[in-house]
Amino acid sequence: MASIQKFYQKHSDKQWLAWFWVPTLYFAEGIPYFLVNNISVMMFAKMGVPNGQLAFFTTLLYFPWFLKGLWSPIVDVVKTKRWWIIAMQLLMVAAMVLLTFTLPKPSAEMVASGQTPATIFWLTLVLFILTAFASATHDIAADGFYMLAHDQSSQAAFIGIRSVFYRISSVFGQGVLVFIAGIVEKKTAAASPDGVADIPFSWQVTLGVSAIVFAIITLYHIFFLPKSKNDAPRVSSDGQQANSVKEIGRSFSSFFKKKGVWLAIAFMLLYRLPEGFLIKMCQPFLVAKDGLGLDTDMVGIVYGTFGVLALTLGGILGGIFASRVGLKKSLWWMALGMTLPCLTFVYLAMAVPTNPVVITIALAIEQFGYGFGFTAYMLYMMYFSEGEFKTSHYAICTAFMALSMMLPGFVAGFIQEKIGYVWFFWMVMLCCVATVVVTFLAERKVDPEYGKKKVK
């Protein structure tokens, strides 16, 4: 391990070294996030939990990403970002193992009724919360480590790369893992005398696979994640934390003293409003009897694989586009990419196509637009976080990002149960007005040169 770190230090000025840790770091950042916020939705939907309860309780799991701004200064001043990354990954491995062995097993009759109470999954929810807190802390450290290792132009150039591998983890989580669950589900149905699938067992296998893969990544990072010269805790010469409480308070308060902070908060809360409603109901819609009624493994293919690949392509092109023209000029194009493709879900709900090619194309269009549009959101948060406490300020920004997903998520399921899928997706389209308004206001305040790749 020491020889690896010496190699990193010797070639620390070489940008290509980032390929050894950026891909795996953001793949690792994605796995627990998608496990807690996306796979849990599909799992509870297949377990027969009603949409209202499903959306409400899985939205509660988002709280750590909202609250992480409260403890992000601690990550900024205590220990190194690398230490926090490794520690949180080890904690998440333990939580995933416990999730695998403690998952409840409701009866086939209860699952089929669609009225499985979410309360029987109390231990699962507790472990998901633990994973979420560890994952949110890991995000703080990983994003801080990323910004310490890159200058502004390099951040813009590599934002597409980190987005790619973050989305590859989404393919693994929403595609591969969901596909595995679907295959196991069908195999247990075929082996059962009455043809009833063992849905709880299929998700137990899925959680076990995720634990094994994440443990392998954690082991890799223990040995291969570099030690950056810029990654150091704020300590005094005698080794004690220097004015740590004061530093934590100053890093937090300085965020709200930034020029244009309230406009920035409005942007972070409303830019993704349509997605905040859509994301909680899209997977239940795909498997619901009053939706498209797809098999679990088919969802893993059309949404979790092809959909995420389209999203990834959108992220790559978004990163390239932003690095060439800058954040200011790319904002409007990306806002359109974020909003217009939501019409595809209106089409799917009204037409209810059965052709998997048509469904895949529709989902790919929506996901491509979202991937392209989300690039501006990430780059805007980096732009607003610039300054002395960029790690904690970026974490506070991502906390507002989490809140933007939570507020609509709490009520999305109950609204859908009241008005049905067709009117629900029309309501999502109406929310696009909020995205347009905040984009108009924020674009005028952005530095025209921010994010442009510097020409040498």
Side-chain angles (χ1 to χ4, degrees):
M1 183 175 177
S3 60
I4 294 172
Q5 297 303 325
K6 286 181 180 178
F7 176 81
Y8 277 126
Q9 292 174 6
K10 183 178 180 180
H11 301 280
S12 60
D13 60 330
K14 301 295 191 301
Q15 258 190 35
W16 56 265
L17 277 178
W19 284 98
F20 284 91
W21 59 269
V22 170
T24 55
L25 182 61
Y26 281 90
F27 184 81
E29 183 172 308
I31 290 177
Y33 177 87
F34 292 111
L35 180 68
V36 171
N37 294 297
N38 295 85
I39 296 176
S40 66
V41 174
M42 175 62 79
M43 183 178 75
F44 290 139
K46 293 298 294 185
M47 293 278 201
V49 178
N51 279 353
Q53 295 182 44
L54 178 153
F56 181 82
F57 282 106
T58 56
T59 298
L60 284 176
L61 299 177
Y62 222 105
F63 255 112
W65 282 275
F66 167 57
L67 296 174
K68 70 180 182 180
L70 297 178
W71 71 85
S72 61
I74 298 176
V75 180
D76 215 6
V77 302
V78 178
K79 298 289 187 179
T80 65
K81 310 300 180 294
R82 186 184 186 279
W83 183 90
W84 284 102
I85 288 169
I86 299 299
M88 293 303 102
Q89 288 183 4
L90 289 170
L91 180 58
M92 286 186 282
V93 169
M96 290 178 192
V97 171
L98 289 173
L99 277 167
T100 302
F101 289 104
T102 61
L103 185 68
K105 298 181 178 181
S107 66
E109 293 76 17
M110 180 178 288
V111 171
S113 71
Q115 296 299 319
T116 305
T119 51
I120 72 170
F121 296 98
W122 68 270
L123 181 56
T124 303
L125 290 169
V126 168
L127 290 171
F128 271 138
I129 282 286
L130 175 63
T131 304
F133 271 105
S135 178
T137 306
H138 180 272
D139 290 355
I140 298 168
D143 291 337
F145 193 85
Y146 176 86
M147 289 190 288
L148 289 170
H150 298 281
D151 57 24
Q152 287 184 11
S153 62
S154 180
Q155 286 177 29
F158 260 87
I159 196 170
I161 303 303
R162 62 180 262 185
S163 178
V164 166
F165 284 91
Y166 187 79
R167 294 309 170 186
I168 289 175
S169 72
S170 179
V171 172
F172 173 75
Q174 299 181 89
V176 176
L177 290 179
V178 173
F179 181 78
I180 289 173
I183 292 298
V184 175
E185 181 182 320
K186 288 183 175 179
K187 286 186 177 295
T188 57
S192 173
D194 53 7
V196 177
D198 189 343
I199 292 177
F201 177 72
S202 70
W203 289 102
Q204 193 172 29
V205 170
T206 300
L207 291 171
V209 171
S210 65
I212 293 170
V213 171
F214 201 76
I216 293 171
I217 296 171
T218 301
L219 185 63
Y220 174 85
H221 283 156
I222 289 174
F223 291 99
F224 288 96
L225 192 67
K227 294 181 179 179
S228 171
K229 61 182 179 181
N230 296 321
D231 179 25
R234 298 170 184 268
V235 295
S236 59
S237 57
D238 61 358
Q240 300 297 317
Q241 297 298 326
N243 300 316
S244 58
V245 175
K246 182 179 179 181
E247 287 286 282
I248 291 171
R250 192 163 67 88
S251 67
F252 188 80
S253 62
S254 63
F255 177 87
F256 294 95
K257 293 178 181 178
K258 285 189 170 224
K259 185 178 180 180
V261 63
W262 299 113
L263 173 59
I265 291 173
F267 180 87
M268 288 181 274
L269 288 177
L270 297 176
Y271 183 79
R272 296 177 68 197
L273 183 62
E275 191 68 19
F277 281 107
L278 188 64
I279 198 169
K280 284 299 176 184
M281 287 295 103
C282 59
Q283 291 188 70
F285 166 71
L286 295 178
V287 298
K289 293 179 181 179
D290 57 340
L292 296 186
L294 298 179
D295 292 337
T296 304
D297 55 335
M298 184 58 67
V299 174
I301 295 172
V302 300
Y303 181 75
T305 302
F306 287 106
V308 174
L309 288 175
L311 185 147
T312 301
L313 179 61
I316 295 172
L317 295 180
I320 295 172
F321 184 65
S323 67
R324 290 184 178 179
V325 305
L327 172 62
K328 185 179 181 68
K329 289 185 178 180
S330 63
L331 258 176
W332 271 115
W333 292 104
M334 293 184 176
L336 291 175
M338 178 71 75
T339 57
L340 292 182
C342 292
L343 277 170
T344 57
F345 272 94
V346 175
Y347 162 75
L348 290 174
M350 295 181 69
V352 195
T354 57
N355 188 329
V357 175
V358 173
I359 296 171
T360 301
I361 291 173
L363 291 173
I365 291 172
E366 191 274 336
Q367 290 291 285
F368 177 87
Y370 175 59
F372 187 77
F374 187 60
T375 304
Y377 192 84
M378 294 173 63
L379 198 54
Y380 182 86
M381 290 193 298
M382 289 182 181
Y383 168 70
F384 192 74
S385 301
E386 284 296 321
E388 181 182 3
F389 295 100
K390 63 171 61 178
T391 297
S392 56
H393 286 183
Y394 185 82
I396 295 170
C397 287
T398 58
F400 282 110
M401 178 180 71
L403 184 61
S404 75
M405 295 289 99
M406 288 178 60
L407 295 178
F410 277 126
V411 297
F414 296 112
I415 293 175
Q416 185 281 319
E417 288 179 339
K418 290 291 184 181
I419 66 178
Y421 281 113
V422 174
W423 286 109
F424 176 80
F425 292 130
W426 274 117
M427 184 203 71
V428 170
M429 282 304 305
L430 183 62
C431 292
C432 294
V433 174
T435 304
V436 173
V437 171
V438 293
T439 299
F440 171 76
L441 296 173
E443 184 268 342
R444 299 183 299 169
K445 304 294 184 181
V446 174
D447 181 355
E449 297 303 311
Y450 184 81
K452 285 186 181 180
K453 186 176 182 179
K454 296 178 182 178
V455 179
K456 296 182 179 180

